[in-house]
Amino acid sequence: MNRGWRLGRDRRGAVMVELALALPVLLILLIGFTEAYLYVRAAVALERVAFDMANLIARRTLICRATSTSDPNSINTYLTTVAPLSAQPLDLAASGEVIASGVVYDSASAGAVVRWQAVSPYTLSGIASGVGNVGGKATLAGGIVPTSGGDTVIVVEAFHSHDWLSGLRQLLPTLPTATTLKRTAYFRGRVASLATLNTAATNPACPD
C-alpha cells in the first residue's frame, strides 16, 4: 500500500505531457499571429504606395511618358523608383503591380473619362484597372468627380500578391493560396491640369 501511494503522488513527466498537449495549440496561435501581421503589413505598405504616388503626381505641373526613372516629370519615375521605395519591405517588383490613371471631365458625356494610363513594368499578371480603360468612362469612388475642363483626378492603384502560409504548403497542399491585395488613392491635380500625358515630342520640358 505504501508503494502504491508513492506512485500515485509521483508527478515526474507530467509537465512533458502537458507541454506535448499544449504545443500544437501554441504553434497554431503563433502561425496565426504571424500571418495576420504579414497581411496587415502588406496592406499598410500598399496603402502607402498608392497614397505617396498619387499625392506626388498630383503636385506636378507637367507629367510625361518617358524612360527616365529620376526626373520628377516622368511617370516612370513614380512607377519604377517611388513605388518600390514606398512599398518596402514588400518586394513590389517581384509580386506587385501599380497602375496610374489620369481622369478628366468629358463635356460630351458630362461625366468622367480615363484620359491616360501608365502601368509599372512588374511581373504580377492578370491585373486590370478598376478605374477603366483609356478613352472609356471612369469608375471613381463616390464624390470624386472632375467637374470642368482641365480638372484632373489622379488615381493610383497598387496591387500585391500575398501568399498565405507558403512555408507550410509543401506539407499541407490544401492550405489557402495567394490572394491579390489592392489599395487605391485619389488626388486632384493641385497646381495645373494634368489631363495630358506629354512626351518629349509634344513638350520640350519632358525628359527623353
Side-chain angles (χ1 to χ4, degrees):
M1 295 294 293
N2 189 30
R3 179 179 298 176
W5 180 81
R6 286 200 303 271
L7 291 174
R9 294 288 300 273
D10 191 350
R11 302 293 295 171
R12 288 177 296 180
V15 173
M16 296 301 296
V17 173
E18 293 171 356
L19 180 61
L21 293 174
L23 189 58
V25 177
L26 294 175
L27 287 175
I28 291 173
L29 289 174
L30 177 61
I31 293 171
F33 282 126
T34 301
E35 286 298 322
Y37 163 73
L38 293 175
Y39 180 89
V40 171
R41 187 185 71 171
V44 170
L46 280 188
E47 191 82 33
R48 186 170 61 244
V49 169
F51 181 92
D52 287 350
M53 281 190 56
N55 182 34
L56 289 172
I57 294 171
R59 292 172 180 268
R60 306 305 305 168
T61 58
L62 175 69
I63 197 73
C64 308
R65 191 182 297 277
T67 59
S68 173
T69 59
S70 59
D71 192 293
N73 289 333
S74 172
I75 190 68
N76 202 36
T77 297
Y78 304 97
L79 293 173
T80 63
T81 302
V82 174
L85 289 174
S86 294
Q88 291 181 353
L90 291 184
D91 188 355
L92 198 64
S95 58
E97 191 67 273
V98 181
I99 302 176
S101 304
V103 177
V104 300
Y105 176 79
D106 178 50
S107 57
S109 61
V113 299
V114 181
R115 178 62 60 82
W116 57 264
Q117 203 164 71
V119 182
S120 62
Y122 300 150
T123 58
L124 187 60
S125 60
I127 297 301
S129 172
V131 178
N133 298 318
V134 176
K137 181 179 179 181
T139 301
L140 300 175
I144 304 176
V145 180
T147 56
S148 61
D151 185 17
T152 314
V153 175
I154 301 299
V155 185
V156 173
E157 301 164 278
F159 303 84
H160 170 68
S161 179
H162 180 74
D163 197 3
W164 294 96
L165 302 168
S166 58
L168 297 178
R169 193 167 296 116
Q170 291 182 348
L171 299 175
L172 299 171
T174 58
L175 288 173
T177 56
T179 184
T180 300
L181 303 179
K182 176 185 177 182
R183 292 296 184 272
T184 306
Y186 305 83
F187 275 88
R188 290 185 184 274
R190 286 171 167 75
V191 182
S193 173
L194 299 173
T196 302
L197 193 59
N198 292 275
T199 65
T202 60
N203 193 315
C206 285
D208 292 330

